[in-house]
């Protein structure tokens, strides 16, 4: 193996991933320590090791509880959501060969919001579980509609994006219609807030579910990473390279839909991560998916955990919706990448 | 490997684009496919390479119906160099040529010595070794074409389909590439625009008109004043002298 091949340089990727994991650990620790009521990092560490049965340090039960029951689960769900959305973005950008592709461009968030509104306003079902289920069903419905409109996304990248735009418009209109005709001001506010995303209500069971979904999805995507590379010059070219195009498409769109719908149903529609993280990761590790996908996962995780910290400290006594923060933090960062990656003419 | 096509037809909606094409290519042969714009050369190549399913008829490569061969197994034997490839992804020349190894690798297999050797040789064959780290986006049209041919070679195929591979190439590389393809130990079918190049490098030539074969045979037999006038609507003088069996066409300005 020569060292100048992009396939080689595995050492560099490993170094990058290790560094990212260290940064991720620090970010999660910081997210657990920082809040309305700051907790010392040492206490955070000991609470966790206490819970895992490694130490038996004396810690105030309230701090122990805040660390374990509220903040750590929240930080870890944020990390998984960031990883999942970034992976979805990378997959869709490769399959659709469009730099703008991400789950929400394909109408998923609009569908999820319609589903959520049906639950909040029309009161179909009740309780937080059914809100999640409503969002999940809505997200899936939107994805299916886009898949049908674009002929299984085989009608070309722009066609699929257009189908996504059409689906978004349709579901947004439905949401507005339901809210204005049968909702009240408070419900409209609830919906709006939910849509912009929040990690507020998440607990350990959410983490466990999301962990399984993210790991399985990432494994499937990595298994198909070589095939994704073959899509570089289009579907027909991928077929000429021996890729079973129809099957890969079906599986990967399915995985993306499932992963996005799961995330949206837990924490709302957090935009921008799926769009910006793959571009940032590509800039560092290159376009080959065997390296890009793990890189997206860790970068997305770090990005989301930091965005969550910012959302809690940016305004006193208030939690700014996470979707607002991802855009506020992400856009300047994205601008730098766009600027540095501009074609040299 | 031999290629046999029997009564291939394909079309979209009411329009027939390839109609009832039958042809046979012997192992190691270089077959030229000529015809005016829109005569169905690209469509026929896709059918032969198994990238499109014919409405009727069948294609056999080495005696096996390609509709029965799994995609991956087929692309270990058959390479297809498309007419104009494009991408927005920021890939290097070496990345593109490495894609040619896709059918030979399992999902997570590492990059082997054999893979590296195939890529290095392919790049060398098209004279792009010194550019392996250059961004594909920054190549000229002819260089991109050569990189795609290299990718096809890295696939280590026994059959190669090339769709107008000499477009964008300077005259040196047109001759160089066609000579290389002819001299390779593989069966090739090449769609070509330049009739003189077809005459120089092909063992046999098939002339397509409106999706149907209207002449098939040695360059000498096919490239007649009559065919040129009927199919290509040009008047020309044909010189047989320079190279035995390789006619040379001089078009007259009319
Ligand atoms: N997918 C398609 N839909 C409609 N028409 C097509 C399609 N593919 C090819 N054609 C038409 O079929 C004819 C043959 O096309 P093609 O095989 O690309 O010709 P050539 O390569 O000889 O120039 C053209 O008139 C083209 O417009
Ligand atoms: Mg053509």
């Amino acid at each position: 193996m020569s060292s100048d091949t992009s396939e080689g340089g595995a050492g560099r990727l490993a170094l990058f991933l290790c560094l990212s994991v260290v940064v991720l650990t620090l970010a999660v620790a910081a997210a657990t320590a920082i809040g309305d009521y700051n907790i010392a990092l040492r206490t955070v560490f000991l609470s966790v090791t206490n819970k895992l049965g490694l130490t038996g340090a004396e810690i105030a039960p309230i701090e122990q509880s805040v660390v374990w029951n509220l903040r750590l689960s929240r930080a870890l769900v944020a990390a998984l959501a960031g990883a999942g959305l970034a992976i979805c973005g990378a997959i869709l950008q490769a399959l659709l060969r469009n730099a703008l592709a991400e789950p929400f461009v394909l109408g998923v968030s609009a569908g999820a919001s319609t589903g959520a509104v049906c639950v909040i306003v029309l009161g179909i079902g009740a309780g937080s579980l059914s809100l999640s289920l409503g969002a999940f069903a809505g997200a899936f419905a939107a994805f299916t509609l886009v898949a049908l409109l674009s002929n299984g996304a085989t009608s070309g990248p722009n066609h699929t994006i257009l189908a996504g735009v059409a689906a978004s418009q349709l579901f947004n209109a439905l949401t507005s219609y339901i809210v204005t005709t049968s909702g009240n001001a408070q419900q409209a506010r609830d919906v709006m807030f939910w849509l912009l995303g929040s990690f507020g209500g998440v607990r350990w069971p959410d983490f466990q579910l999301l962990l399984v979904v993210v790991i399985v999805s990432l494994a499937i995507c990595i298994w198909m990473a070589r095939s994704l590379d073959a899509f570089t010059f289009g579907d027909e070219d991928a077929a000429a390279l021996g890729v079973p195009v129809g099957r890969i498409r079906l599986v990967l769109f399915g995985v993306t839909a499932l992963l996005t719908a799961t995330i949206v149903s837990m924490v709302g529609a957090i935009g921008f991560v799926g769009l910006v993280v793959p571009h940032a990761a590509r800039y560092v590790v290159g376009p080959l998916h065997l390296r890009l996908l793990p890189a997206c996962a860790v970068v997305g995780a770090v990005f989301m955990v930091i965005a969550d910290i910012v959302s809690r400290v940016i305004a006193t006594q208030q939690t700014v919706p996470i979707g607002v923060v991802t855009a506020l933090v992400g856009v300047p960062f994205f601008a730098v990448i766009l600027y540095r990656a501009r074609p040299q003419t | 490997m031999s290629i046999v096509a029997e009564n291939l037809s394909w079309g979209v909606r009411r329009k027939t684009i390839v109609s009832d094409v039958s042809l046979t290519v012997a192992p190691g042969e270089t077959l030229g496919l000529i015809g005016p714009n829109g005569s169905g050369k690209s469509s026929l190549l896709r059918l032969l390479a198994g990238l499109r399913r014919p409405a009727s008829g069948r294609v056999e490569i080495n005696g096996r119906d390609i509709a029965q061969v799994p995609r991956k197994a087929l692309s270990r034997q058959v390479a297809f160099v498309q007419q104009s490839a494009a991408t927005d992804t920021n890939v290097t020349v070496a990345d593109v040529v490495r894609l040619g190894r896709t059918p030979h690798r399992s999902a997570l297999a590492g990059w082997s010595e054999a893979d590296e050797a195939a890529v290095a040789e392919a790049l060398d064959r098209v004279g792009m070794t010194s550019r392996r780290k250059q961004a594909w986006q920054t190549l000229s049209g002819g260089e991109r074409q050569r990189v795609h041919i290299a990718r096809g070679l890295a696939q280590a195929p026994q059959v190669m389909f090339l769709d107008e591979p000499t477009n964008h190439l300077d005259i040196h590389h047109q001759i160089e590439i066609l000579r290389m393809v002819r001299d390779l130990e593989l069966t090739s079918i090449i769609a070509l625009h330049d009739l003189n190049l077809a005459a120089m490098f092909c063992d046999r030539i098939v002339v397509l008109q409106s999706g149907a074969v209207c002449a098939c045979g040695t360059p000498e037999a096919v490239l007649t004043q009559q065919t040129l006038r009927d199919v290509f609507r040009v008047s020309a003088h044909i010189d047989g002298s320079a190279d035995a069996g390789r006619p040379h066409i001089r078009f007259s300005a009319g």
Side-chain angles (χ1 to χ4, degrees):
Chain A
M1 277 188 227
S2 62
S3 59
D4 75 327
T5 65
S6 329
E7 290 264 350
R12 229 184 81 196
L13 176 67
L15 183 68
F16 174 75
L17 288 181
C18 286
L19 265 178
S20 307
V21 169
V22 171
V23 173
L24 179 60
T25 312
L26 291 177
V28 168
T32 314
I34 298 168
D36 293 337
Y37 165 75
N38 288 332
I39 298 174
L41 269 180
R42 195 185 120 79
T43 316
V44 169
F45 181 76
L46 287 175
S47 315
V48 173
T49 49
N50 273 0
K51 266 288 176 185
L52 298 176
L54 300 174
T55 52
E58 291 269 317
I59 291 171
I62 175 80
E63 294 196 331
Q64 174 84 51
S65 168
V66 166
V67 166
W68 188 258
N69 292 330
L70 297 179
R71 293 196 189 157
L72 186 61
S73 52
R74 176 184 178 131
L76 290 176
V77 166
L80 286 174
L85 291 173
I87 294 167
C88 289
I91 299 285
L92 290 177
Q93 285 165 18
L95 281 183
L96 298 177
R97 298 213 298 145
N98 193 314
L100 293 178
E102 65 141 346
F104 300 146
V105 172
L106 297 185
V108 173
S109 64
S113 59
T114 307
V117 162
C118 286
V119 174
I120 294 177
V121 178
L122 301 182
I124 302 169
S128 71
L129 182 64
S130 63
L131 175 70
S132 296
L133 276 181
F136 189 91
F140 231 90
F143 232 84
T144 313
L145 178 66
V146 172
L148 290 177
L149 281 180
S150 62
N151 209 355
T154 54
S155 338
N158 292 334
H159 196 114
T160 309
I161 299 276
L162 283 177
V165 171
S168 295
Q169 296 294 334
L170 173 68
F171 282 104
N172 284 335
L174 280 176
T175 305
S176 305
Y177 179 81
I178 295 170
V179 170
T180 47
T181 54
S182 39
N184 57 38
Q186 181 54 41
Q187 283 175 330
R189 233 183 92 91
D190 283 352
V191 170
M192 167 84 184
F193 207 81
W194 183 85
L195 273 184
L196 286 168
S198 160
F199 290 111
V202 299
R203 295 293 178 269
W204 285 112
D206 299 309
F207 169 76
Q208 286 152 5
L209 175 61
L210 195 52
L211 183 68
V212 172
V213 174
V214 168
I215 286 180
V216 170
S217 306
L218 184 60
I220 294 173
C221 296
I222 285 182
W223 182 255
M224 297 188 163
R226 287 264 160 76
S227 306
L228 274 177
D229 292 338
F231 280 85
T232 307
F233 291 93
D235 286 14
E236 184 171 82
D237 206 55
L241 290 170
V243 173
V245 172
R247 201 171 70 212
I248 298 276
R249 260 179 189 294
L250 187 71
V251 171
L252 289 181
F253 275 119
V255 165
T256 314
L258 188 71
L259 188 50
T260 315
T262 309
I263 293 170
V264 173
S265 69
M266 274 180 201
V267 299
I270 304 168
F272 213 67
V273 179
L275 177 66
V276 72
V277 171
H279 288 291
R282 220 176 268 120
Y283 188 71
V284 181
V285 302
L288 295 179
H289 288 87
L290 216 45
R291 322 173 73 198
L292 181 63
L293 293 172
C296 279
V298 286
V299 175
V302 171
F303 181 83
M304 194 69 104
V305 172
I306 292 175
D308 183 40
I309 298 175
V310 173
S311 82
R312 284 181 287 141
V313 299
I314 197 170
T316 45
Q317 303 301 315
Q318 274 277 15
T319 300
V320 178
I322 186 82
V324 173
V325 179
T326 53
L328 285 180
V329 176
V331 170
F333 178 62
F334 198 46
V336 171
I337 292 178
L338 277 182
Y339 180 74
R340 295 196 56 178
R342 73 196 183 284
Q344 311 289 325
T345 45
Chain B
M1 287 198 165
S2 64
I3 306 168
V4 179
E6 285 169 14
N7 309 102
L8 281 182
S9 293
W10 180 78
V12 284
R13 294 183 203 98
R14 294 277 171 73
K15 190 174 164 204
T16 305
I17 292 170
V18 174
S19 85
D20 201 27
V21 171
S22 297
L23 52 82
T24 308
V25 194
E29 199 176 16
T30 303
L31 182 79
L33 202 56
I34 63 175
N37 292 146
S39 56
K41 301 183 293 296
S42 302
S43 307
L44 177 58
L45 280 182
R46 290 197 177 95
L47 292 175
L48 292 172
L51 295 173
R52 297 251 168 87
R53 199 148 284 228
S56 64
R58 55 197 244 128
V59 179
E60 280 181 6
I61 291 184
N62 231 18
R64 285 186 69 188
D65 185 344
I66 60 168
Q68 312 298 327
V69 182
R71 228 356 324 143
K72 191 165 176 174
L74 187 63
S75 56
R76 280 196 283 261
Q77 301 176 346
V78 176
F80 183 84
V81 179
Q82 60 173 325
Q83 198 164 358
S84 50
T87 184
D88 289 333
T89 313
N90 189 13
V91 282
T92 63
V93 167
D95 287 336
V96 174
V97 179
R98 277 195 205 102
L99 284 178
R101 300 303 295 168
T102 307
H104 296 276
R105 306 173 72 188
S106 61
L108 301 173
W111 185 246
S112 71
E113 299 278 338
D115 293 326
E116 186 56 36
V119 167
E121 191 191 331
L123 279 167
D124 185 50
R125 288 246 188 203
V126 300
M128 292 293 285
T129 304
S130 61
R131 307 293 195 85
R132 58 180 299 145
K133 286 186 194 163
Q134 190 174 338
W136 186 87
Q137 305 280 359
T138 63
L139 296 177
S140 78
E143 290 164 344
R144 289 180 182 185
Q145 196 92 29
R146 279 152 63 198
V147 170
H148 266 76
I149 293 168
R151 199 189 77 176
L153 294 174
Q155 236 171 301
Q158 280 144 310
V159 178
M160 196 145 162
F161 296 98
L162 299 110
D163 196 353
E164 301 192 11
T166 55
N167 282 8
H168 308 294
L169 295 192
D170 58 54
I171 185 68
H172 167 76
H173 282 107
Q174 289 183 9
I175 291 175
E176 194 80 337
I177 292 285
L178 288 176
R179 184 190 296 144
M180 177 194 82
V181 172
R182 180 193 62 188
D183 292 344
L184 284 171
E185 295 272 302
L186 44 74
T187 312
S188 46
I189 301 191
I190 315 178
L192 279 173
H193 255 314
D194 189 314
L195 304 182
N196 280 314
L197 285 176
M200 279 165 72
F201 291 102
C202 298
D203 300 319
R204 277 188 312 133
I205 291 178
V206 166
V207 185
L208 277 187
Q209 188 177 24
S210 313
V213 176
C214 77
C216 174
T218 60
E220 207 171 19
V222 166
L223 294 170
T224 60
Q225 270 181 322
Q226 175 89 31
T227 314
L228 292 179
R229 193 170 55 240
D230 294 351
V231 178
F232 293 92
R233 293 180 295 161
V234 291
S235 56
H237 180 79
I238 295 170
D239 243 333
S241 56
D243 196 352
R246 304 266 178 211
H248 181 82
I249 303 162
R250 276 188 293 124
F251 300 102
S252 51

